[in-house]
Amino acid sequence: MGESSVFLTRILDVLLDGGDHIAFAHRGRSMTYRETFDTLRRLHATLKSEGIVPGQLVAITGGNAPETILLQFASQLLGARVVHIDEGRSDLLELLEVDHVLTTDPEGPLVTSRVARAARRDEETPLPRSIETMFSGDGTNLVCYRDVYEEMARTTQPNADGPQRVLLIAPLSHPIGNRLTCKALLAGDTVVLHERATGTGSFAAANLAGEA
């Protein structure tokens, strides 16, 4: 593992090893850990071809969908910094001078680049030593996490009673909802994404769910 990010290393491991266990349940569909890993790999290749490189700032917009958190992971695997932008806060895109905007909105392009596309590099990008995840807060304030995810990866272990079903009623663009989702994946649980989880004003919590 060396000096690579513990969080990214563990996320790759749990997704790869999770097999046919369900990672996400969302809008009547489900994704196994194997399917989630394959989706992450495809998104990673797409973002790399779009010229996302280490040190750039990537903004992610969109609702509660598995792809929202996977775009975060894929960007961070390429060494980019990530900021989640809530609906209605497009003003922050200019204020923060983001390099790329990623969206899970099916009506829009996956990647909107605000810088010239870099020449594609065929060599593998080494895992960064750490990650930076930011969230748009009230006004122009940003919530920024660096070491929190690394510590989570070091301490989170599978539940002794086996995989749990975690109902997420907080948006993935909210720091609480984002961390709870990452923690559930690290533990090998199933994340049930609530349909109406939007905006930072939503009540943020996670509970065990008997049914999707």
Side-chain angles (χ1 to χ4, degrees):
M1 190 157 45
E3 296 184 348
S4 298
S5 163
V6 177
F7 175 77
L8 291 178
T9 301
R10 280 217 53 206
I11 280 292
L12 290 175
D13 286 344
V14 296
L15 294 183
L16 185 61
D17 296 340
D20 292 329
H21 182 66
I22 302 300
F24 291 102
H26 174 246
R27 289 186 177 179
R29 67 166 174 150
S30 60
M31 291 178 63
T32 67
Y33 270 78
R34 181 180 293 108
E35 290 169 338
T36 302
F37 179 83
D38 290 341
T39 300
L40 174 59
R41 186 172 56 183
R42 289 193 298 270
L43 290 173
H44 178 269
T46 298
L47 299 189
K48 184 176 181 180
S49 70
E50 289 289 335
I52 293 180
V53 296
Q56 290 185 329
L57 179 59
V58 170
I60 299 177
T61 66
N64 262 19
E67 289 77 13
T68 299
I69 198 76
L70 296 182
L71 284 172
Q72 173 184 321
F73 298 161
S75 299
Q76 291 170 333
L77 285 167
L78 290 169
R81 297 174 298 134
V82 167
V83 58
H84 286 272
I85 303 295
D86 279 326
E87 185 178 357
R89 294 308 315 273
S90 58
D91 58 304
L92 288 176
L93 299 176
E94 295 295 340
L95 185 64
L96 296 174
E97 298 182 346
V98 301
D99 298 300
H100 307 274
V101 181
L102 312 181
T103 181
T104 57
D105 183 354
E107 301 300 321
L110 175 64
V111 184
T112 302
S113 296
R114 293 167 174 252
V115 297
R117 181 183 296 187
R120 179 166 182 170
R121 301 176 302 174
D122 291 329
E123 71 271 13
E124 289 296 321
T125 303
L127 285 180
R129 295 184 178 183
S130 62
I131 63 172
E132 183 175 270
T133 310
M134 295 177 284
F135 305 87
S136 58
D138 297 332
T140 57
N141 295 326
L142 289 179
V143 177
C144 180
Y145 292 104
R146 295 184 179 89
D147 298 332
V148 169
Y149 288 80
E150 299 298 307
E151 183 62 24
M152 185 191 305
R154 293 187 182 95
T155 58
T156 302
Q157 298 298 326
N159 192 292
D161 296 326
Q164 307 293 296
R165 292 173 63 83
V166 179
L167 173 62
L168 189 78
I169 61 174
L172 290 168
S173 61
H174 189 285
I176 295 177
N178 197 279
R179 296 199 314 273
L180 288 172
T181 299
C182 292
K183 186 173 183 178
L185 292 175
L186 289 167
D189 294 335
T190 296
V191 180
V192 182
L193 294 172
H194 194 281
E195 184 68 20
R196 296 182 179 84
T198 58
T200 54
S202 298
F203 177 74
N207 299 296
L208 297 182
E211 299 294 338

